[in-house]
Amino acid sequence: FSILADLVKNVGGDKIEVSALVGPNGDAHVFSPSPADAKTVAAAKVMVVNGLGLEGWMTRLVQASGSKAPMVVATTGIKPRNMEEDGKQQIDPHAWQSIANAKVYVANIRDGLSKADPPNADAYAANAAAYLVRLDALEGEVKAAIARIPADHRKIITTHDAFGYFGAAYGMAFISPEGVSTDSEPSAKEVARIITQIKVQKIPAVFMENISDPRLMQQISRETGAKIGGTLYSDALSDQKGPAASYIEMMHNNIRQLSIALMS
C-alpha cells in the first residue's frame, strides 16, 4: 500500500523499482486483487508487506501468482497493540502511525533488500541512515506541535480506529465509531454512544479520513456541535498533487490539521 511503498522507495532509492498494489487514497482493508496484480507479484524479486493482519488478501494473491520471492514483513519486532472490535480482541495493524515504529519498518526494509540484493547493501544502508535522520527530525516536530495543544483538547473523533499507535506515542485520545478495519459498519447504538461521549467530554472536533465516506462524521458533527476538522491521512497517502504525497508529508499534514482544529 502507498505508505509502505514510500518507505521502501526511500530505502531502495535508484537501485529498485517499486509497485504499490494499493495506490494513493486506496484502502488496504477492503482491497480486492485483480489478475493484473497477480502478474505484478509474479514478476517481483522481493515483496514487502505490513503484516499484523492488514493484508488479509496477500496469501491468496501470492498463491495465485506462483511467486517464490522472499517476503519482508515490515512490522517484525514491533509490539502490536491489541484492541476490541465487535466484542473480540484484535491486533491493530496501523503501526506506521508511530514514527518510532516507522523507523523499525525502515530497518526491516533495509535488511530485507540487502539480503535479496547483497551487491547494493551499502547503498540501502546509506539511504536508510539518511532517511532515519529525517524521521528523527519529524518526530521532534510532531512532539513539539502536540505540546502546544492544551492537554484537555487532545481528544479526537476519527472514522475508523487507525490512530491508536499515534495516540499512545504522543499522548492523544482517538475515538472512532468504526473499528480497526473500514469494512465494519458501526451500529446505531455505537454512533449514539459516541455522540453522548462527545457531549459529555466536550470533544472539540471530528476528522474526516481520505479513505472513508464522510457522511458519518458529518452526521456526528451536526448532532453534537463538534466542528469538522481537516482530512487526516490514515491508511493511504494522497496522490502527488495532494498534501500527503509521502509519509513525512502525511505526518506534517495530520499534525497541522490537528493543531488548527484543537487550538482554535
Side-chain angles (χ1 to χ4, degrees), residues 212-236:
S212 299
D213 187 326
R215 288 175 292 184
L216 177 60
M217 290 293 102
Q218 290 164 346
Q219 174 198 344
I220 289 173
S221 173
R222 283 194 303 271
E223 295 191 28
T224 62
K227 65 187 172 188
I228 292 179
T231 297
L232 300 180
Y233 288 79
S234 55
D235 293 26

Side-chain angles (χ1 to χ4, degrees), residues 4 8 19 21 37-38 40-50 58-59 61-63 65-74 109 112-113 116:
L4 188 57
V8 176
S19 297
L21 295 173
D37 294 319
T40 299
V41 170
K45 299 290 194 297
V46 179
M47 286 177 283
V48 185
V49 296
N50 184 78
M58 184 56 100
T59 301
L61 179 58
V62 171
Q63 289 172 346
S65 73
S67 172
K68 298 288 190 275
M71 184 175 289
V72 178
V73 180
I109 293 164
L113 293 180

Side-chain angles (χ1 to χ4, degrees), residues 87-172:
K88 300 175 185 175
Q89 285 292 312
Q90 292 213 21
I91 289 175
D92 182 350
H94 306 90
W96 61 85
Q97 287 293 345
S98 154
I99 298 168
N101 285 345
K103 295 175 192 175
V104 177
Y105 279 54
V106 169
N108 286 327
I109 293 164
R110 175 200 63 209
D111 294 347
L113 293 180
S114 298
K115 186 176 180 181
D117 180 24
N120 286 312
D122 288 348
Y124 301 138
N127 291 343
Y131 189 59
L132 288 170
V133 170
R134 296 178 65 197
L135 292 182
D136 283 338
L138 175 67
E139 187 155 45
E141 293 170 30
V142 169
K143 288 179 177 177
I146 291 173
R148 291 191 287 270
I149 299 172
D152 60 348
H153 279 215
R154 296 177 197 169
K155 297 173 185 172
I156 303 108
I157 303 288
T158 56
T159 312
H160 90 293
D161 203 347
F163 294 94
Y165 290 93
F166 186 101
Y170 307 117
M172 302 192 82

